[in-house]
Amino acid sequence: MHIFISVDIEGVAGVNEGLQGQRGNPEYEVARRLMTEEANAAIRGAFAGGADTVTVADSHGPMRNMIVDQLDPRARVVSGRARPLSMIEGIRADHAGAVLIGYHAAADNFGVLAHTISGLAFRRIEVNGVRAGEPTLFAGHAAEIGVPLLAVSGDDRLEAEIAEQFPAARSITVKRCISAIASESLSPDEAREKIEQDVCEAVQTAADTEVKAPCTPPLTVDIGFGKQLFADAAALMPFVERTGALDVRFVAKNHAEAIGVLSGFSLMASALA
Ligand SMILES: [Zn+2]
């Protein structure tokens, strides 16, 4: 049984603040280690639950945050950018389930460091009228190719989103959101124990887990950009419809296509900023 794990940083226990996700400062060096250890807890849980191969994708910012020589050597690692499937790159139809670790609530929701793909680029993303977070898109792609979302870790605001969009998935809540940059968090040790245990149980029942994406193609993607200039640039593409000063719309034939366009727009916004 193959299990796929995608790891972000904002939803890791003890991470609250933007600097913890940014290279070049001592806070980041601590946070990337916390991220690596939560990934290890999920990898241990997956193997204990019956996986015989585990692929883990480093999925924050530059996508090379985890300290690879401290990762469980049984796992295969996807790292670096720009990846066609971004945070879910490496998933295959023969995977038995997907697990998201260190995730966070969607742009335009409450949540610790809530955003979707890029806090700079996007103020809000909606897919078929549904407020889209990263699980909506990336676990949506997994579901589209037949892979169920098994478990997700992060804060209590993310838990509420998952309950609505992926009711079959298990939420592993490691912190309570107090503000955009404050939380009441489990200790890293307790968070890892909980992740290991819950991922193990979720993997054991993978075969019975419902496979369902919250949005079904074709996908109408509505974007509210953070700056008018980003919308100006996006609207240069022939498939993009301008819907407002900061807003555009496009239609994607599947999740992979939507992910590709959004990743491109995110890179474009960073270049323009
Ligand atoms: Zn993220």
Side-chain angles (χ1 to χ4, degrees):
M1 171 166 55
H2 308 307
I3 295 293
F4 180 87
I5 303 174
S6 172
V7 190
D8 202 350
I9 205 166
E10 290 91 350
V12 167
V15 172
N16 290 314
E17 219 266 313
L19 266 187
Q20 290 177 285
Q22 287 164 28
R23 241 159 228 290
N25 73 86
E27 301 235 35
Y28 170 76
E29 295 305 321
V30 176
R32 70 192 301 203
R33 191 169 48 73
L34 298 176
M35 178 191 187
T36 307
E37 290 306 329
E38 286 201 3
N40 278 336
I43 295 165
R44 284 194 300 276
F47 280 110
D52 37 47
T53 66
V54 172
T55 302
V56 58
D58 192 322
S59 297
H60 169 73
M63 299 186 166
R64 45 184 176 85
N65 309 278
M66 292 192 289
I67 304 157
V68 280
D69 63 356
Q70 288 174 20
L71 269 177
D72 190 316
R74 294 173 294 175
R76 222 179 266 191
V77 188
V78 176
S79 65
R81 65 197 289 189
R83 315 193 299 228
L85 288 171
S86 185
M87 300 178 79
I88 201 85
E89 183 64 50
I91 200 159
R92 302 187 312 257
D94 68 340
H95 280 117
V99 173
L100 310 178
I101 296 296
Y103 270 57
H104 47 80
D108 209 23
N109 193 9
F110 293 97
V112 177
L113 297 169
H115 66 279
T116 301
I117 300 176
S118 159
L120 169 78
F122 308 119
R123 197 177 44 77
R124 182 180 176 87
I125 298 176
E126 272 180 27
V127 180
N128 291 354
V130 173
R131 179 175 58 203
E134 290 165 10
T136 321
L137 294 157
F138 299 112
H141 168 73
E144 199 183 314
I145 63 167
V147 180
L149 178 61
L150 303 179
V152 182
S153 77
D155 71 5
D156 56 332
R157 295 291 186 166
L158 174 65
E159 179 180 4
E161 291 180 5
I162 295 299
E164 211 170 281
Q165 297 190 3
F166 295 92
R170 178 183 294 248
S171 273
I172 310 167
T173 306
V174 301
K175 57 191 172 189
R176 176 178 69 86
C177 168
I178 298 174
S179 79
I181 54 168
S183 70
E184 176 185 343
S185 176
L186 297 183
S187 71
D189 278 344
E190 197 181 340
R192 290 168 202 162
E193 258 171 54
K194 194 167 154 134
I195 288 169
E196 181 173 349
Q197 183 66 37
D198 283 16
V199 168
C200 173
E201 286 170 17
V203 167
Q204 281 169 339
T205 55
D208 310 316
T209 306
E210 186 196 22
V211 188
K212 196 171 183 298
C215 308
T216 322
L219 304 174
T220 299
V221 182
D222 280 290
I223 300 174
F225 279 106
K227 287 187 176 172
Q228 185 195 323
L229 178 59
F230 302 161
D232 294 338
L236 299 174
M237 318 283 166
F239 60 90
V240 172
E241 177 193 346
R242 188 72 178 259
T243 50
L246 280 79
D247 306 323
V248 304
R249 173 179 296 158
F250 68 93
V251 179
K253 67 175 187 298
N254 55 35
H255 286 80
E257 195 175 283
I259 289 166
V261 173
L262 291 167
S263 302
F265 286 172
S266 164
L267 290 170
M268 181 191 78
S270 322
L272 287 173

